Amino acid sequence: MTTRGVLYVHSAPRALCPHVEWAVAGILGVRVQLDWIRQPASPGTWRAEFSWQGRPGTASKLASALRGWHQLRFEVTAEPCSTAEGERYSSTPHLGIFHAVTGIHGDILIPEDRLRAAMARSTRGETDLEAEIARLLGKPWDDELEPFRYAGEGAPVRWLHQVV
């Protein structure tokens, strides 16, 4: 089984760009040379995006390989397939990494135990339920990444295939 997805590197310092390519190549099993363009939302940084195809779980491997670089802003998505739900990973230097399971229409699917925990924290007065739900949906990451997404409109996209 294979799935498809997209890696969006929203901003990376120039010195980090080859390291991103090497990390992605190590996961996909093919040589990777991304088309880097300047990121106007953060002068001095670069952005790239490409589509990939690989086994289910590839998105999590890509996110794990990139998450340790604190100057990097990125998102990785994977479409659902017959053996796995879809996935979305978002990462920012300030917030760290966010993971969500997505359904066939791209909706975020929140497990019952996470909803119950959010409701319990709210009931105990530890947090506001609306804020908890926003966090479960990844709103803080969306808010922080939105200027970088907008700045990337029209950027080139390339398909890369994982060697199976």
Side-chain angles (χ1 to χ4, degrees):
M1 273 294 132
T2 60
T3 187
R4 300 183 306 180
V6 180
L7 168 65
Y8 304 93
V9 179
H10 292 298
S11 71
R14 188 68 177 154
L16 197 52
C17 294
H19 298 281
V20 170
E21 292 176 354
W22 297 330
V24 172
I27 301 300
L28 297 177
V30 296
R31 186 172 181 267
V32 173
Q33 185 175 359
L34 301 177
D35 294 322
W36 295 96
I37 60 174
R38 292 185 188 276
Q39 173 53 275
S42 179
T45 65
W46 296 79
R47 69 172 325 280
E49 59 186 70
F50 65 91
S51 296
W52 55 267
Q53 185 172 339
R55 292 185 176 149
T58 299
S60 64
K61 291 177 183 177
L62 289 168
S64 292
L66 300 176
R67 76 181 184 137
W69 295 324
H70 300 291
Q71 298 176 340
L72 191 64
R73 286 179 183 86
F74 70 88
E75 291 181 278
V76 183
T77 63
E79 294 179 3
C81 64
S82 62
T83 60
E85 298 285 358
E87 294 182 282
R88 175 181 153 209
Y89 294 86
S90 302
S91 183
T92 72
H94 176 70
L95 296 171
I97 198 156
F98 168 77
H99 171 254
V101 175
T102 57
I104 61 171
H105 299 293
D107 296 323
I108 291 178
L109 308 176
I110 302 171
E112 290 177 37
D113 61 333
R114 293 184 73 194
L115 283 171
R116 285 188 182 106
M119 289 172 28
R121 283 190 296 275
S122 176
T123 299
R124 290 190 304 265
E126 297 172 11
T127 185
D128 176 61
L129 184 57
E130 186 176 346
E132 283 287 321
I133 291 173
R135 188 165 176 79
L136 289 172
L137 293 172
K139 185 173 180 346
W141 286 265
D142 287 339
D143 290 347
E144 192 168 322
L145 289 172
E146 193 60 30
F148 295 90
R149 293 174 182 149
Y150 179 75
E153 286 183 9
V157 175
R158 271 198 319 194
W159 283 95
L160 297 180
H161 300 279
Q162 182 180 17
V163 176
V164 180

